Amino acid sequence: MKRIFLIIIILIALIPFALSAITVEEIINRMDAAETFSTSFSRGEILSTDRFGQKTSTFNAWARGADESLIEFTSVAERGQKVLRTKGEIYLFYPDAQELIRLQGAALRQSLLGSDISYEDMTGEKNTLAQYTATIEGQESIGGRFCHIITMVAKSRTVAYPVQKIWVDMETFMVWKAQYSTQNGRLLKEMEVLGTMEVDGRILPSRTAVSDKLKKDSKTIMVLTEMQIDPPLDPSIFSLQNLTW
Amino acid sequence: MKFIVELALKNLARYKRRTIITAIAIAVGLMMYIIVDSMLIGAEYESMRNLRWYETSSARILDSGYWENRMQLPLDKNIAQPYRIIEELRDEGFVGTPRTTFSADMILSSEDFGEEGNLPVLITAIDPRTDNDVFRFEDTLIEGRFLRPGEDAVVLGSWFAEDLGAKVGYWVTLVTRGNGGFYEAMDLQVVGIVNCPNPNVNRTLVMMPIDTAGDYLAMDGAATEINILLPDSKDANGYLVEIQSIIDQSDDNLAVYSWEALAKDYLAIAEAKRGGTGVILFLVFIIAAVGISNTMLMAIYERIRELGMMRALGMTDSAIHMAFIIEAGGIGLIGSIFGVIFGAFGNFFLVNYGINFGMIMRDMDMGYRIQSVLKGAWNPSAIIIAFLAGFILSMLVAWIPTRRALKMDIPACLRHQ
Amino acid sequence: MIKVEQVVRDYQAGETVVKALKGVSLEIGDGEFVSIAGPSGSGKTTLLNLIGCIDALDSGEILIDGVKVTSMDKKEKTTYRRNNLGFIFQTYNLIPVLSAYENVSFVLSILNLPEAEIHQRTMAILREVGLQGMEDRRPSRLSGGQQQRIAIARALVKNPRIVLADEPTANLDSKTGQEILKLMKAMNEKYHTTFIFSTHDQMVMDFADRLILLHDGNIISDERRSV
């Protein structure tokens, strides 16, 4: 009995060691995997706050793989506006003007609906390791969850954020918190997950806050009210023809 | 003929008040024409000069890909080795300076500015050692000092600084995207404030050293443009061809653009404005013309009986016509002489001292690249045109009412009250 | 000799046609001193204007010394008037900016006479009409009678064949009017110039050698008398 107890203590003591034994590459890959679905449908809202006040926009979003997504805004002010992302390109559709705009290059840096999220932030290539060199800095508990703290340094200048520091859940590999900085370590943006939900056995962020650390009082909260993973989706949803219906 | 001239001159002298008032109307019209024309030419001349001195330089070398996407200010479409090209240009007698322009978010901290804030700005990164060989900012410094190479510092336009509430010593943060697209933030101290005579620049100017910007933006020694000072010459195109052949030796992608090409929008507006000012000048003329035609109309109608008598006595219509036209021409001549004298006198002050429009220009974007003092310019052709127009137009406007009066039959003229 | 034959002159007055002369015929010999009289609207001024070649008729003919003046064109009429006719108007019609002398001399100027002759003739006629010493005065500084004297001098200075005077005394008081008539008569006698003047003033009518009465565009009487 005493021996068993000892073994348990040793095992418990060894847990952090065992967990940290996992390589940083593995963590990142599992993190990417947790964020990638073959298809998804979600419903939610974006609450953006700046020094002029608060604004709420609601949306429906469809996604397939890492490259294709369609967001359709349903709130009154933006009703019918759509953002279609295909590999490497973003199209905006404005129903009032019946106008289709293709965003490229520098235009992708514009913010989505005046929030702290840029179009570029949405074009998330989910192959983080191709763009960043990651190292584990340690562990920390965030909201009662044990996380790996990982610092990622961009391998090239074509990545928007030269340095990212992320807190990845040891168990679910969900990112609880991320800090985006310049090369010199100047903190630009911070992302924090405020609430989660379980969908098909996966833990996903349901309430995420993004704030621009250089602009006071600037904060965007993205809330997912509904999420379906791997629903059957018509591939034509992600076509340009579909954009203008 | 002698009698006709005498009669016309006597009528002129007899109706002194009428002659003087009409001549004054013409003189004022012409004076306004001369002065307005002078101001417009002066404004345009100075605008063009300020455009070259503070915005476009005489000519600019750009990567042709940059030119096509110049609205986006693409840092990657750059000139890789600007100094080598500047060297080559110097060997051929041209003065050049590199610049890199990029857009950024300027973050203001409450520590210096009293409250937080941010605004989009356009940054001009310059080489402090050579920029003033091409541009003229050093003369415009009103506070602090000019930039030094390699320092984390900015110089602001005075109106921009005023709008911001920025003072020398304050810090600002610029957040921008480097060459490639990565985020970069830099803290820069305001070291100087310039009062640039070009309002468009003075309203927006943020300058920093090009080497500092290059480090932050990962330009690796590249610049987005080379600005060139060309001597004032009619043969600007010849220079451009020469410069193009120099840069073709080192880089196929580079092209030289004249300041006219760079300021195309401005020049198009200026062109349109010239059309508009033509209308103003035309109106000034119309005022003078209406003045004299009204006077002559009255002169003719109050003398219709006299005119009938002369016709009855056997004076020919053409002689009578001539008499009225000489009379009108006389008023026109007096008005024109005084108009030109007054106009030249006024213009003398306008050219040598100018008018201070500072307070108006500050709040009003008139498109002209002029701040505060607006000076006129001598335009002999406008003065000659004004003089001749005042004289000839006066005679022309007398023609029609005289003709109409001469069409009346003689008894009707004699009955005329 | 002036010959007026069946002269008709209509005026368009708005919608209606006013028959100013309804077929007037008369003859006036050289050197006559004729008054054409009648109430206003009787056609006397029209007749004067037609003889004076400053109006056009609708039918009929006027011959002066055998020349058909009514068929001349505008230019010929102007030349004819310049050389042969003198006019005196009710309102004098002097040029206010010119002196008495200039008001007279310009008639000779437009005849392109030499300067010396112009001066000599102008001074002579001004003396004759009694304006000696007033040559430099402007009309505004002269009385009505004096102004009309200038007008007479202006009409006579070029020795015209005919002087036409439309109500020459209507703007003058009766005493001055009489003086003017006397002057005209004197000139008529001295230069043998034909004088034709219109009037509705009995005193003026009495002064004439011959009185032609017009009424409604017709001659109702034509009498010669000795004064």
Side-chain angles (χ1 to χ4, degrees):
Chain A
M1 186 65 192
K2 213 173 186 179
R3 201 182 155 93
I4 292 169
F5 191 64
L6 187 69
I7 290 167
I8 289 170
I9 288 175
I10 290 168
L11 280 177
I12 290 172
L14 279 176
I15 284 174
F17 180 71
L19 289 174
S20 65
I22 186 172
T23 64
V24 71
E25 285 77 17
E26 221 172 315
I27 297 169
I28 304 275
N29 283 334
R30 295 191 66 171
M31 174 190 91
D32 281 355
E35 291 171 0
T36 310
F37 322 104
S38 63
T39 59
S40 71
F41 170 75
S42 54
R43 217 183 274 281
E45 54 192 46
I46 295 170
L47 303 119
S48 43
T49 313
D50 59 16
R51 56 202 188 99
F52 301 113
Q54 201 178 30
K55 192 181 128 188
T56 307
S57 313
T58 55
F59 64 88
N60 294 332
W62 296 262
R64 190 172 69 164
D67 294 325
E68 290 175 311
S69 70
L70 174 71
I71 300 173
E72 181 192 6
F73 289 92
T74 52
S75 43
V76 178
E78 301 88 16
R79 181 160 308 182
Q81 283 184 30
K82 290 174 207 165
V83 182
L84 173 68
R85 195 187 92 212
T86 60
K87 199 169 171 66
E89 280 167 342
I90 284 183
Y91 295 91
L92 307 181
F93 174 71
Y94 293 96
D96 295 343
Q98 281 289 316
E99 197 183 2
L100 190 63
I101 296 168
R102 180 168 172 232
L103 294 185
Q104 282 176 290
L108 292 173
R109 297 171 189 169
Q110 293 167 8
S111 92
L112 171 70
L113 295 177
S115 68
D116 294 298
I117 303 165
S118 70
Y119 291 112
E120 185 184 48
D121 291 339
M122 297 164 54
T123 58
E125 276 287 328
K126 293 289 157 41
N127 192 357
T128 312
L129 286 175
Q131 297 172 323
Y132 288 95
T133 310
T135 45
I136 298 182
E137 300 282 318
Q139 285 79 33
E140 198 179 356
S141 164
I142 293 220
R145 302 289 305 177
F146 282 107
C147 295
H148 296 287
I149 306 172
I150 295 172
T151 300
M152 305 196 295
V153 177
K155 289 177 175 172
S156 77
R157 293 164 178 168
T158 54
V159 177
Y161 302 105
V163 177
Q164 287 191 26
K165 190 173 180 185
I166 54 175
W167 282 256
V168 186
D169 194 298
M170 286 185 180
E171 202 179 320
T172 63
F173 296 95
M174 192 195 82
V175 180
W176 280 97
K177 184 175 166 183
Q179 289 181 335
Y180 307 97
S181 311
T182 68
Q183 196 153 16
N184 299 335
R186 182 69 166 263
L187 185 56
L188 298 166
K189 280 184 194 176
E190 190 170 81
M191 184 277 287
E192 263 180 299
V193 175
L194 306 175
T196 58
M197 61 181 172
E198 192 180 334
V199 183
D200 294 349
R202 292 208 223 189
I203 303 295
L204 297 172
S206 63
R207 204 176 165 79
T208 309
V210 179
S211 55
D212 190 323
K213 299 316 272 185
L214 290 172
K215 296 173 189 170
K216 206 185 164 192
D217 305 327
S218 171
K219 194 171 200 177
T220 302
I221 294 176
M222 184 139 133
V223 182
L224 290 185
T225 51
E226 189 192 332
M227 178 85 180
Q228 296 169 23
I229 291 182
D230 297 341
L233 290 182
D234 183 348
S236 71
I237 289 178
F238 307 105
S239 67
L240 270 180
Q241 287 79 2
N242 183 53
L243 202 56
T244 51
W245 39 246
Chain B
M1 188 64 200
K2 182 167 161 268
F3 164 70
I4 293 165
V5 176
E6 267 176 22
L7 178 66
L9 295 183
K10 282 197 165 125
N11 272 319
L12 264 185
R14 160 81 177 190
Y15 300 103
K16 271 197 197 76
R17 195 189 316 175
R18 197 199 63 197
T19 303
I20 289 168
I21 289 172
T22 313
I24 285 173
I26 295 168
V28 168
L30 295 195
M31 183 181 81
M32 275 169 62
Y33 176 87
I34 290 168
I35 286 176
V36 168
D37 179 78
S38 160
M39 272 169 41
L40 294 175
I41 289 180
E44 205 173 299
Y45 174 78
E46 204 161 314
S47 287
M48 303 276 183
R49 203 195 55 197
N50 284 343
L51 204 73
R52 287 196 302 269
W53 280 9
Y54 304 105
E55 264 179 276
T56 62
S57 70
S58 315
R60 182 177 291 170
I61 297 171
L62 294 168
D63 184 274
S64 41
Y66 187 96
W67 176 252
E68 281 152 30
N69 298 295
R70 58 191 181 280
M71 289 308 180
Q72 272 100 43
L73 308 169
L75 291 176
D76 54 333
K77 310 272 195 294
N78 54 37
I79 302 163
Q81 288 178 294
Y83 288 103
R84 214 188 71 202
I85 291 168
I86 289 169
E87 201 99 327
E88 286 163 8
L89 289 171
R90 193 191 304 143
D91 292 343
E92 302 297 326
F94 295 108
V95 183
T97 186
R99 277 184 166 192
T100 293
T101 46
F102 60 97
S103 57
D105 237 357
M106 182 181 268
I107 316 276
L108 312 174
S109 68
S110 54
E111 216 171 297
D112 276 340
F113 289 90
E115 60 174 323
E116 310 267 333
N118 64 285
L119 69 160
V121 291
L122 189 73
I123 314 293
T124 309
I126 63 153
D127 184 339
R129 294 163 307 176
T130 59
D131 203 69
N132 287 306
D133 299 343
V134 175
F135 296 97
R136 307 264 184 146
F137 282 99
E138 206 155 48
D139 308 335
T140 64
L141 192 74
I142 52 168
E143 236 181 282
R145 58 169 176 82
F146 208 62
L147 295 167
R148 290 173 190 151
E151 63 176 349
D152 282 3
V154 288
V155 162
L156 306 178
S158 64
W159 287 355
F160 183 66
E162 244 172 71
D163 289 344
L164 238 54
K167 293 201 167 64
V168 170
Y170 282 16
W171 287 85
V172 295
T173 303
L174 297 179
V175 178
T176 184
R177 312 296 287 262
N179 182 11
F182 62 92
Y183 269 101
E184 186 54 279
M186 36 194 149
D187 292 319
L188 306 167
Q189 191 174 28
V190 179
V191 294
I193 290 171
V194 293
N195 183 14
C196 175
N198 181 330
N200 271 35
V201 173
N202 205 34
R203 209 177 270 130
T204 55
L205 182 73
V206 184
M207 280 197 297
M208 69 181 287
I210 195 169
D211 40 2
T212 309
D215 287 348
Y216 279 113
L217 305 178
M219 295 299 287
D220 299 326
T224 56
E225 60 193 57
I226 294 172
N227 294 283
I228 299 167
L229 176 73
L230 295 179
D232 276 330
S233 158
K234 297 267 174 280
D235 189 29
N237 277 330
Y239 288 132
L240 294 182
V241 170
E242 201 181 333
I243 291 168
Q244 186 66 53
S245 71
I246 296 168
I247 55 180
D248 279 346
Q249 291 162 14
S250 41
D251 193 334
D252 282 346
N253 275 330
L254 300 184
V256 63
Y257 299 89
S258 67
W259 72 272
E260 285 99 336
L262 297 165
K264 210 168 166 185
D265 292 349
Y266 168 74
L267 292 176
I269 294 167
E271 187 73 33
K273 206 175 298 190
R274 218 168 297 145
T277 50
V279 170
I280 296 174
L281 293 181
F282 179 71
L283 288 177
V284 167
F285 256 173
I286 289 288
I287 292 166
V290 165
I292 182 134
S293 83
N294 193 42
T295 300
M296 286 318 292
L297 207 66
M298 276 172 56
I300 288 160
Y301 275 87
E302 74 187 15
R303 270 190 251 149
I304 278 190
R305 248 177 344 142
E306 194 178 313
L307 201 140
M309 176 275 293
M310 292 194 286
R311 290 170 73 193
L313 262 48
M315 205 158 150
T316 59
D317 285 4
S318 57
I320 296 170
H321 216 145
M322 188 64 76
F324 278 104
I325 284 166
I326 291 171
E327 187 177 339
I331 299 179
L333 192 66
I334 295 168
S336 295
I337 288 169
F338 280 99
V340 165
I341 291 171
F342 294 155
F345 191 70
N347 205 27
F348 175 80
F349 286 95
L350 197 60
V351 170
N352 291 293
Y353 302 100
I355 302 173
N356 194 337
F357 280 118
M359 293 322 286
I360 305 170
M361 295 279 188
R362 174 80 175 87
D363 300 317
M364 203 162 62
D365 185 2
M366 293 177 58
Y368 284 121
R369 303 301 206 264
I370 314 160
Q371 191 197 326
S372 64
V373 178
L374 167 59
K375 286 189 173 181
W378 287 108
N379 182 8
S381 71
I383 294 174
I384 293 167
I385 286 172
F387 181 83
L388 292 179
F391 182 45
I392 293 168
L393 219 63
S394 300
M395 296 194 279
L396 279 182
V397 295
W399 187 276
I400 297 156
T402 314
R403 230 178 69 129
R404 269 181 54 185
L406 288 173
K407 271 198 175 149
M408 290 170 75
D409 58 16
I410 297 170
C413 287
L414 290 170
R415 273 199 308 273
H416 198 270
Q417 289 308 305
Chain C
M1 162 97 132
I2 302 163
K3 219 171 160 182
V4 177
E5 289 176 347
Q6 289 300 318
V7 165
V8 174
R9 179 70 169 107
D10 299 337
Y11 289 109
Q12 198 74 36
E15 292 287 286
T16 56
V17 176
V18 177
K19 291 191 179 301
L21 294 175
K22 301 174 178 170
V24 170
S25 297
L26 66 101
E27 276 183 24
I28 296 170
D30 288 348
E32 279 198 74
F33 197 69
V34 185
S35 169
I36 299 173
S40 60
S42 60
K44 52 189 191 302
T45 300
T46 305
L47 182 57
L48 227 54
N49 286 345
L50 287 170
I51 297 169
C53 301
I54 56 173
D55 200 359
L57 43 67
D58 293 301
S59 75
E61 234 165 46
I62 296 174
L63 292 98
I64 300 177
D65 297 330
V67 179
K68 251 192 224 173
V69 292
T70 42
S71 49
M72 285 177 174
D73 67 15
K74 199 177 151 193
K75 234 179 183 161
E76 287 169 329
K77 279 184 179 171
T78 304
T79 312
Y80 189 84
R81 287 196 306 269
R82 184 160 66 228
N83 292 323
N84 300 296
L85 302 179
F87 287 87
I88 297 169
F89 306 96
Q90 178 181 343
T91 50
Y92 329 133
N93 282 343
L94 300 176
I95 300 173
V97 295
L98 300 184
S99 65
Y101 176 90
E102 288 161 336
N103 261 295
V104 175
S105 67
F106 93 86
V107 178
L108 301 178
S109 297
I110 60 180
L111 283 171
N112 284 322
L113 295 181
E115 200 65 37
E117 190 185 344
I118 293 175
H119 181 73
Q120 184 258 318
R121 281 171 71 172
T122 305
M123 291 309 279
I125 196 78
L126 282 172
R127 201 177 317 126
E128 266 182 275
V129 299
L131 290 176
Q132 210 169 354
M134 299 182 196
E135 296 88 352
D136 293 333
R137 291 205 191 167
R138 291 251 175 90
S140 56
R141 291 185 52 218
L142 294 169
S143 69
Q146 285 167 329
Q147 289 188 48
Q148 197 61 304
R149 280 165 194 267
I150 298 175
I152 292 167
R154 181 177 66 188
L156 287 167
V157 72
K158 64 183 172 190
N159 285 327
R161 302 192 48 74
I162 304 162
V163 171
L164 298 152
D166 190 10
E167 306 260 9
T169 59
N171 276 24
L172 302 170
D173 61 66
S174 60
K175 182 170 170 281
T176 316
Q178 212 153 15
E179 280 169 21
I180 289 298
L181 284 168
K182 276 181 187 158
L183 177 63
M184 282 166 59
K185 182 70 186 140
M187 293 295 138
N188 163 252
E189 280 163 5
K190 181 169 180 187
Y191 295 107
H192 203 64
T193 308
T194 310
F195 268 80
I196 308 170
F197 49 93
S198 68
T199 187
H200 58 271
D201 183 343
Q202 189 60 47
M203 191 251 313
V204 181
M205 292 179 218
D206 293 344
F207 221 89
D209 294 341
R210 179 178 170 192
L211 179 64
I212 300 167
L213 274 176
L214 276 179
H215 194 268
D216 270 351
N218 289 309
I219 293 177
I220 51 169
S221 83
D222 183 351
E223 51 177 313
R224 283 167 207 278
R225 43 218 252 171
S226 46
V227 181

